[in-house]
Amino acid sequence: MAQHNTLRPDLKHIADQIKPGSRVLDLGCADGELLAWLQANKAVRGIGVDVDVMSIVACVEKGLNVIQADMESGLQSFEDGSFDYVVLSLTIQAMHNIELILQEMLRVGKVGLVTFPNFGFWENRWQILIGRMPVSETIPYEWYNTPNIHFCTVKDFDKLLTKMGMKVDKQVVLHQGETVDFLPNLFGSLALVQFSACAK
């Protein structure tokens, strides 16, 4: 299998969680970087979804199956249980209806994989303490031009999943591409959460 050194750090960890031959739906797939790697190296059957025209063009040029759609209204185009994994990478913080998209992810897929900037990271806390909105590697925008509308911490996201009857199967917190094991909600700048529905 080819090395995934060229993938963005969070995408590397997502790729590690996905089993060969799986059915994968990549929401907010951007230029298709993850799907292209998974198809080439893990023989997944994948579909990407994005609203941006240039992202769609980039995916088509890579030979990927992609749909232009706004995820905010749900995933009605897909039947229940259509996928093994549904990925939402560095997108959830820019969405209006987070609960709807999480519900839809586990309706159409068995497992959800979400990555997001951890607002609880100590540098973010420090910037707020000195009276500034945080700007960092994982939150690179100024307050006046950011697409992000919902910031959360690792603990906040875990709490939301519990409230919605979902469970964390695996959680990896990173900083500069490296795994953070000690006080991850404080020292990790980026979170990856693998989750599924609680047994009824």
Side-chain angles (χ1 to χ4, degrees), residues 47-66:
I47 297 177
V49 177
D50 209 292
V51 72
D52 179 66
V53 173
M54 297 308 296
S55 295
I56 298 297
V57 170
C59 288
V60 170
E61 289 176 346
K62 289 182 174 75
L64 302 174
N65 294 318
V66 63

Side-chain angles (χ1 to χ4, degrees), residues 22-145:
S22 299
R23 301 165 299 164
V24 177
L25 178 64
D26 189 359
L27 302 174
C29 62
D31 65 358
E33 178 184 5
L34 175 64
L35 273 183
W37 191 92
L38 289 171
Q39 288 190 181
N41 297 281
K42 288 197 171 183
V44 305
R45 290 164 288 164
I47 297 177
V49 177
D50 209 292
V51 72
D52 179 66
V53 173
M54 297 308 296
S55 295
I56 298 297
V57 170
C59 288
V60 170
E61 289 176 346
K62 289 182 174 75
L64 302 174
N65 294 318
V66 63
I67 296 172
Q68 185 179 19
D70 183 359
M71 298 175 292
E72 293 283 6
S73 58
L75 304 174
Q76 295 89 342
S77 301
F78 304 104
E79 296 181 358
D80 295 2
S82 300
F83 301 92
D84 299 303
Y85 300 93
V86 182
V87 176
L88 186 65
S89 178
L90 296 183
T91 302
I92 198 167
Q93 70 276 4
M95 302 193 71
H96 288 85
N97 197 336
I98 290 175
E99 291 175 277
L100 172 64
I101 195 61
L102 293 177
Q103 290 169 346
E104 284 287 87
M105 288 175 73
L106 292 190
R107 178 184 67 79
V108 303
K110 297 176 183 176
V111 174
L113 288 161
V114 170
T115 65
F116 57 89
N118 175 30
F119 205 65
F121 180 49
W122 76 268
E123 289 186 9
N124 298 333
R125 301 186 195 203
W126 171 249
Q127 290 182 63
I128 290 173
L129 186 64
I130 62 174
R132 296 288 306 277
M133 283 297 291
V135 177
S136 65
E137 182 180 355
T138 54
I139 308 175
Y141 302 96
E142 296 286 352
W143 65 270
Y144 51 84
N145 63 8

Side-chain angles (χ1 to χ4, degrees), residues 10 90 114-118 154 171-174 188-193:
D10 61 313
L90 296 183
V114 170
T115 65
F116 57 89
N118 175 30
V154 174
Q171 189 173 83
V172 179
V173 183
L174 308 169
S189 57
L190 186 69
L192 162 64
V193 181

